[in-house]
Every structure is written in C-alpha cells, then in structure tokens.
Amino acid sequence: MLITINGKPRSFEAANLSVADLVQHLELVGKRLAIERNGEIVPRSQFEATQLADGDKLEIVGAVGGG
Amino acid sequence: MSDLLKIADKTYHSRLLVGTGKYKDFTETRAAIDASGAEIITVAIRRTNIGQNAGEPSLLDFLPPEEFTYLPNTAGCYSADDAVRTLRLARELLDGHKLVKLEVLGDPNTLYPNMMETLAAAKTLVKDGFDVMVYCSDDPIIAKQLEEIGCVAVMPLASLIGSGMGILNPWNLQIIIENAKVPVLVDAGVGTASDAAIAMELGCQGILMNTAIAAAGNPVLMAGAMKKAVEAGREAYLAGRMPKKLYSASPSSPTSGLIS
C-alpha cells in the first residue's frame, strides 16, 4: 500500500499495518511525537488499534527549537 | 518579596519567557535558558525527520518537559486553520498540555501578525479548552477583543519579530496594559537589556524573547543580563519612579550647615 508520510509517498509490502507497526518500522519508538491521519489526530492510545489504508496521508510531528 | 506571575491559574517566579530557536547547539540552548532563569520556554512543532538520524538527540533531551513549562507555538502559520491544527498536534504531543502561544503571521518579510486570522483561531482554541497566550499587534482594541474572547495573556509586539528594534510605541503598550485584566507580556522586538527593563517599567507582566539572547555575541551572558533587566524593570515599576522635572530647586544634600 502507498502511504504519504510528511508529504513523501512511501510504499509498504504489508497488507495490514497499524500506526504502531509504522512507528516501529520508521524507528520512532520512544520518540515524543504526534500523528495526524488524513487530518485527524490519532491518539497515542489508539496506535495499536488504528489500521492504515492505501492512500492514507500522515503527518508525524515533534517539538523543535523555536521562539 | 513575593511577586509572582500568574497565567491561567499557575504561578511562576520568572517573568522572562524564552524561545529555544536559533542557538548554535542544544548545549548552548540549555546554558542560555539556565542563565535566563526562565520557567516557560517556547517550542515549535515541525515534521519529524523520517529515516535519518534516528539516534540523534532532540531538544527534549536537553530541556525535559518535566523541568519546564512548554509553550508550543504556531510560528510559520499563516491561517487560523493551520494554527489550530498545529496546536491540537502539540496538545497530543505534550500529553494534553493546554498552555499555548498563538501567532498567525500575515507577511513573510515582516512577520507582522494577521489579526483577523489570529482572532478567529483564538475563538476556536478557547472553545476547545486551550489556555491561549496570544501574539498580537499593539492595537489596544484588538488586545481587548482577544482578552474578551478568553485568551489568558495578551502579548503585543514591541517591534517586529527578530528585529531587535526595541520598544517603538510605549504609548500603545501603556494603553493596552492599563485596560487589560489579563497579563500583558511584550513578545518580540526586544534587542538588549535596557529594552527589557523599559518594557517592565511600563507595567508589562513579563517578556517573551528569543533572538535578543540567541543572536547576541555571547548568548549565555546576554541571558543573564535579560534576567536582571526584567527583574530590575519589574522592581522599578512596583517601586514607582520619581516624577520627571526639567530641573529641581530641591538638592539632595542639606542647604543649611554649609561652611562659610
């Protein structure tokens, strides 16, 4: 399936992929981040339960220095 | 003397709020923030780097959220929708954290705020349960409207973001301060310690700055200077200055007992 992450398309072999799987795949486990799927926030508590679908658009954000 | 800054039912000893951008590295960021004594620090919300530098340290490693009050901002947002979306992500990122800094910009060259969009975003965010500290123009009417919407602090610019031009319109700031029932903080424009002291002497409840410290020749030293300036300005405000006179016929030393 094809998923757009932070504006870049990426293809995944797996037919079933949860947000938690994706976080692990992207080596982001333990990082403080927030995820938006198709414009809706996915709460951390729902990472396991939320299955991704072909064509999903994800934003994965963190805190950086700023004024 | 107990003189605390109160924002949305939480109190702070420091009236200096600082940004975390533009530093050489995280070590310098941390050292400058320690020297500033700031308890509230702003952060920006940005896309995470995917697939690169997985083990690289992050800002949060150097400034743990347990030690500071994070103030996520909406820097770089040019519409109310983008600002609201950014702060909802920030709330999720920071485990339900409610205190935020709203800024909606109107122009990439001057970074002057777009107050129509800012007002719209403030309404949505307040309704959504956020405690909104809002960056705004130094228009007393707009400042009052933001307060009436329910913002917990109003933060007019002293001059443009990153300009270091100082307090360009003390008279407007004074009108905003006199009419406000929520804390007024100067956000943006402070260039050096005397600017910070002047803002505090006007009666501001606090100052938010980033570039004045980060772009100083020695950021850590400037952070300490800003801490002292904010404290000195606050104490001078509380003490009440002497009236200005063109000249005085009343010398400080006794007029009697002079030798002859």
Side-chain angles (χ1 to χ4, degrees):
Chain A
M1 67 178 116
L2 198 70
I3 298 171
T4 303
I5 303 170
N6 289 351
K8 285 191 186 131
R10 286 164 172 264
S11 63
F12 294 88
E13 301 273 323
N16 292 306
L17 194 67
S18 69
V19 173
D21 294 334
L22 183 78
V23 167
Q24 191 160 23
H25 180 81
L26 298 175
E27 296 176 26
L28 295 173
V29 177
K31 296 250 175 203
R32 195 179 270 266
L33 45 82
I35 300 182
E36 196 184 65
R37 177 191 178 216
N38 303 326
E40 297 287 329
I41 287 171
V42 183
R44 219 166 299 157
S45 59
Q46 297 298 306
F47 280 7
E48 294 278 354
T50 306
Q51 290 295 320
L52 296 169
D54 189 46
D56 274 356
K57 286 189 168 59
L58 298 184
E59 292 288 342
I60 305 180
V61 302
V64 301
Chain B
M1 185 179 65
S2 164
D3 172 44
L4 300 173
L5 170 64
K6 190 174 173 197
I7 298 171
D9 294 327
K10 215 183 147 194
T11 54
Y12 304 89
H13 291 91
S14 171
R15 293 177 178 274
L16 175 56
L17 290 67
V18 297
T20 56
K22 295 188 181 170
Y23 287 98
K24 189 177 68 188
D25 52 34
F26 290 141
T27 305
E28 186 184 72
T29 312
R30 174 74 209 211
I33 288 169
D34 283 344
S36 78
E39 294 165 84
I40 302 177
I41 59 173
T42 64
V43 293
I45 305 300
R46 290 291 180 271
R47 284 173 164 173
T48 299
N49 282 331
I50 307 285
Q52 39 181 318
N53 317 323
E56 195 177 72
S58 77
L59 181 73
L60 284 81
D61 298 329
F62 285 79
L63 300 163
E66 302 77 39
E67 269 184 70
F68 297 92
T69 296
Y70 268 40
L71 187 65
N73 70 24
T74 59
C77 290
Y78 285 81
S79 72
D81 285 348
D82 281 349
V84 170
R85 198 175 156 203
T86 299
L87 291 177
R88 284 179 177 152
L89 280 165
R91 182 167 59 182
E92 174 60 23
L93 183 77
L94 298 169
D95 306 319
H97 177 88
K98 280 164 55 182
L99 188 69
V100 295
K101 172 183 161 180
L102 170 66
E103 61 177 292
V104 186
L105 303 177
D107 172 51
N109 290 322
T110 61
L111 303 178
Y112 203 82
N114 179 329
M115 292 319 303
M116 304 286 272
E117 292 293 316
T118 304
L119 284 161
K123 273 182 203 161
T124 307
L125 290 166
V126 169
K127 224 177 274 174
D128 206 2
F130 284 94
D131 291 331
V132 181
M133 300 178 73
V134 58
Y135 170 63
C136 56
S137 60
D138 63 356
D139 176 335
I141 307 301
I142 292 277
K144 198 69 197 165
Q145 286 175 344
L146 289 165
E147 176 185 320
E148 284 164 2
I149 285 170
C151 293
V152 298
V154 174
M155 306 199 289
L157 50 79
S159 49
L160 297 176
I161 292 176
S163 71
M165 292 287 284
I167 319 291
L168 295 189
N169 195 339
W171 312 109
N172 269 29
L173 285 181
Q174 213 165 325
I175 294 170
I176 293 170
I177 291 162
E178 276 176 21
N179 291 325
K181 292 190 185 69
V182 296
V184 175
L185 289 82
V186 153
D187 182 359
V190 166
T192 188
S194 53
D195 297 334
I198 290 168
M200 295 308 292
E201 286 170 16
L202 286 171
C204 285
Q205 292 282 324
I207 303 182
L208 201 169
M209 65 177 76
N210 191 153
T211 312
I213 296 173
N218 181 336
V220 179
L221 195 56
M222 185 58 91
M226 290 299 188
K227 177 179 194 271
K228 293 173 193 137
V230 168
E231 288 170 359
R234 177 66 182 171
E235 286 177 15
Y237 169 74
L238 292 175
R241 61 153 297 144
M242 63 163 283
K244 280 184 186 175
K245 290 172 279 195
L246 188 56
Y247 60 89
S248 169
S250 159
S252 299
S253 306
T255 49
S256 61
L258 289 160
I259 53 167
S260 58

